[in-house]
Amino acid sequence: MPNPPEFAAPARAYLRAVPDSYDRCLRSEPLPIDVPRARAQHASYAEALRAAGVEVALLEADEGCPDCCFVEDTALVLGAERALSTRPGAEGRRAEVGPVGAALQERLRVAPFGPGGTLDGGDVLRVGQTLFVGRSSRTDETGVARLRQVAAEVGLEVVALSVAGGLHLKSVVTLLAPGRLVALREGIALEPLRARGLECLEVDEPAGANVLALGPIVLVSAAAPATAELLAGQPGLEVRAVAVDEFHKGDGALTCLSLRVPPPGGWCV
Ligand code: CIR
């Protein structure tokens, strides 16, 4: 039996540039978006990844796809060598998938999703050898079944959870460290996660529930200062705040802006 992969900072992250059309992205509230400010925040986010030792690959924007910077939704990286293209639940976002799959294909074997069902990457939370997948407004049963099929090929278990509030599973719960999660209070039922031995730290700031753990470095939205303070008090974590409020306006957060590839023998979020 090979050793299970160890939690690690990503070796590489794929980002997709912010298009001029980003101010027409899908969003729940019609808040005005400042595209140049979003671009500056995107550049700082890329810098935060580099500062954590992650190689950043920036893919070109597509003006026909206002949401293309939320690259996480278009594929699932299942290890250092394997990925699955998704079929986003928002029909208008499906054209984002092809170019991202093609870029990943240069280094990973990318399985196509297939014709039916929907799955957004934002609904998949990796914790060790388990993929928690949210049944949400964007991910359906057929999507979960397709994920289960491909995950089984690489020895990953899939556990489905219901997402009632928030856009995606990772809008309300993300990984802080192996075995430790941060979740929006009352954002999701935590019993199925706690029953699996996972520690769940509850926070009150919606922008605080989506953190990005890069090994021991944890990126937290600057819009969630109380969460950042709480996490900074946790042993073994180095918390860094990153401003991504122009992406919160588009219902996105830290994980949405990249697709992360672990080093060989490692796993990452
Ligand atoms: C959407 O509604 O699809 C985008 N405006 C936001 C996607 C956020 N993605 C993510 O949380 N993984």
Side-chain angles (χ1 to χ4, degrees):
M1 274 286 271
N3 289 334
E6 290 200 12
F7 180 64
R12 188 176 169 85
Y14 291 84
L15 277 61
R16 199 157 184 197
V18 179
D20 289 337
S21 58
Y22 175 57
D23 58 357
R24 300 200 300 274
C25 72
L26 298 173
R27 52 198 191 272
S28 48
E29 306 274 338
L31 300 169
I33 285 180
D34 181 335
V35 175
R37 190 161 178 272
R39 285 211 175 100
Q41 293 187 346
H42 197 258
S44 302
Y45 172 83
E47 213 32 66
L49 290 171
R50 288 191 196 98
V54 183
E55 180 193 358
V56 171
L58 182 62
L59 310 182
E60 261 181 27
D62 177 346
E63 286 303 331
C65 296
D67 286 283
C68 67
C69 51
F70 297 119
V71 66
E72 176 180 62
D73 293 322
T74 60
L76 277 175
V77 174
L78 298 166
E81 290 161 11
R82 293 293 301 270
L84 167 68
S85 281
T86 64
R87 187 163 184 270
E91 211 177 326
R93 295 198 57 193
R94 294 194 188 142
E96 296 172 32
V97 173
V100 177
L104 292 175
Q105 192 88 51
E106 289 172 16
R107 291 171 179 237
L108 294 97
R109 192 142 64 84
V110 185
F113 189 76
T118 61
L119 177 72
D120 275 20
D123 274 318
V124 183
L125 168 66
R126 181 165 180 167
V127 185
Q129 293 298 88
T130 301
L131 298 176
F132 291 99
V133 56
R135 285 193 210 94
S136 71
S137 57
R138 297 289 178 87
T139 294
D140 67 10
E141 279 309 330
T142 309
V144 173
R146 177 67 181 132
L147 175 64
R148 216 180 277 286
Q149 205 177 34
V150 179
E153 291 171 17
V154 291
L156 296 174
E157 171 198 31
V158 170
V159 175
L161 301 172
S162 296
V163 178
L167 178 60
H168 290 125
L169 176 66
K170 282 187 289 191
S171 310
V172 289
V173 57
T174 48
L175 187 104
L176 198 52
R180 299 171 72 196
L181 307 176
V182 56
L184 179 64
R185 200 180 306 282
E186 290 175 11
I188 184 153
L190 296 175
E191 293 74 34
L193 297 163
R194 289 189 166 133
R196 292 181 154 254
L198 298 172
E199 183 193 329
C200 302
L201 198 62
E202 293 175 81
V203 297
D204 295 302
E205 293 163 315
N210 185 280
V211 301
L212 179 54
L214 307 166
I217 296 172
V218 180
L219 305 188
V220 180
S221 168
T227 303
E229 201 182 322
L230 179 73
L231 300 186
Q234 300 289 312
L237 303 181
E238 184 183 332
V239 173
R240 297 187 185 170
V242 182
V244 283
D245 48 280
E246 291 297 336
F247 300 102
H248 293 328
K249 291 180 187 170
D251 297 330
L254 290 159
T255 64
C256 327
L257 295 173
S258 59
L259 266 171
R260 298 145 309 261
V261 182
W267 70 274
C268 66
V269 290

